[in-house]
Amino acid sequence: GENVEQHPSTLSVQEGDSAVIKCTYSDSASNYFPWYKQELGKGPQLIIDIRSNVGEKKDQRIAVTLNKTAKHFSLHITETQPEDSAVYFCAASLDTGNQFYFGTGTSLTVIP
Amino acid sequence: DAGITQSPRHKVTETGTPVTLRCHQTENHRYMYWYRQDPGHGLRLIHYSYGVKDTDKGEVSDGYSVSRSKTEDFLLTLESATSSQTSVYFCAISGVAGASEQYFGPGTRLTVT
């Protein structure tokens, strides 16, 4: 099955700086890559996603890039704010299946 | 949380007792999922449903069963709870199959003593 690795496990940045979280996947057939943000005591919330026919996608301060050849994708958060502090999860999925394979999460702390 | 509720939100139970967790959605989505979340493992799929009375196993299905008698409800049952099933359980829903958005409920924290 698919194996998704996520790095780093923890990340601290100063407010206003950028944060980058990276994930790699093993199954070249995976074609959908969502990113979730999870705040303490809550369920994961979808923040951005990308499909394999696209190399980059942006939504305000958040962007995701995908390198299919290298089988890795990254989440970029610019101009970080304290409310960006949370755990972020990447995932990979195939069109033909119903299973998401999640990374182990990155705990992001934005220091005011 | 996209019209998804889970009950109970917290439960403490003893080893060997049966436990049922409930997921209820108001979105009329066809697909429903049960995940468990553990430190160092992210979220792992237990079972999913692709329609009323249609279910299938996920990555970590041993020790769990599910049922779906109505579109809006998806039940997860631990027939005989074990300490290894102490976890946070999340329900998710999706309107389409495969590679598409899944929306998660608020979670149930289960402790098996």
Side-chain angles (χ1 to χ4, degrees):
Chain A
E2 173 69 281
N3 180 46
V4 177
E5 295 189 356
Q6 183 172 347
H7 299 281
S9 57
T10 60
L11 179 61
S12 292
V13 299
Q14 291 291 136
E15 182 177 357
D17 288 349
S18 295
V20 180
I21 303 170
K22 299 181 178 181
C23 289
T24 61
Y25 61 100
S26 61
D27 191 339
S28 58
S30 290
N31 60 0
Y32 175 67
F33 307 92
W35 284 89
Y36 286 84
K37 175 184 181 182
Q38 186 176 25
E39 297 176 338
L40 195 63
K42 296 185 178 181
Q45 180 182 14
L46 179 69
I47 55 172
I48 196 168
D49 55 12
I50 191 167
R51 298 188 184 274
S52 59
N53 59 346
V54 175
E56 183 176 6
K57 183 177 180 180
K58 290 183 179 180
D59 183 3
Q60 299 183 341
R61 297 186 296 108
I62 294 174
V64 57
T65 59
L66 172 65
N67 184 324
K68 288 173 54 180
T69 303
K71 290 189 282 189
H72 67 70
F73 55 113
S74 300
L75 177 71
H76 304 253
I77 306 174
T78 59
E79 300 174 10
T80 54
Q81 301 168 3
E83 52 264 39
D84 294 329
S85 296
V87 179
Y88 292 81
F89 291 95
C90 63
S93 179
L94 287 76
D95 260 338
T96 55
N98 281 285
Q99 183 153 342
F100 278 17
Y101 295 88
F102 283 85
T104 51
T106 296
S107 178
L108 173 65
T109 301
V110 179
I111 304 166
Chain B
D1 289 322
I4 309 169
T5 57
Q6 293 185 232
S7 59
R9 293 294 313 278
H10 302 271
K11 186 170 183 66
V12 179
T13 192
E14 294 184 348
T15 298
T17 60
V19 176
T20 296
L21 309 183
R22 178 179 183 243
C23 176
H24 178 79
Q25 58 142 332
T26 57
E27 306 295 322
N28 200 35
H29 280 354
R30 178 179 176 185
Y31 300 90
M32 299 184 75
Y33 309 82
W34 276 108
Y35 289 87
R36 60 178 290 173
Q37 184 176 39
D38 305 289
H41 290 279
L43 291 106
R44 292 179 292 174
L45 182 66
I46 305 171
H47 281 280
Y48 66 94
S49 169
Y50 47 97
V52 174
K53 297 185 180 178
D54 293 323
T55 64
D56 206 349
K57 296 179 179 180
E59 186 182 0
V60 289
S61 59
D62 288 348
Y64 302 94
S65 62
V66 291
S67 65
R68 192 170 178 199
S69 59
K70 298 185 291 185
T71 299
E72 57 266 35
D73 291 326
F74 192 32
L75 304 181
L76 176 70
T77 298
L78 291 66
E79 299 290 348
S80 178
T82 67
S83 58
S84 65
Q85 294 176 312
T86 292
S87 186
V88 181
Y89 292 85
F90 288 99
C91 174
I93 64 173
S94 176
V96 296
S100 64
E101 299 88 341
Q102 291 187 10
Y103 300 96
F104 285 80
T108 293
R109 182 173 294 276
L110 176 68
T111 302
V112 183
T113 61

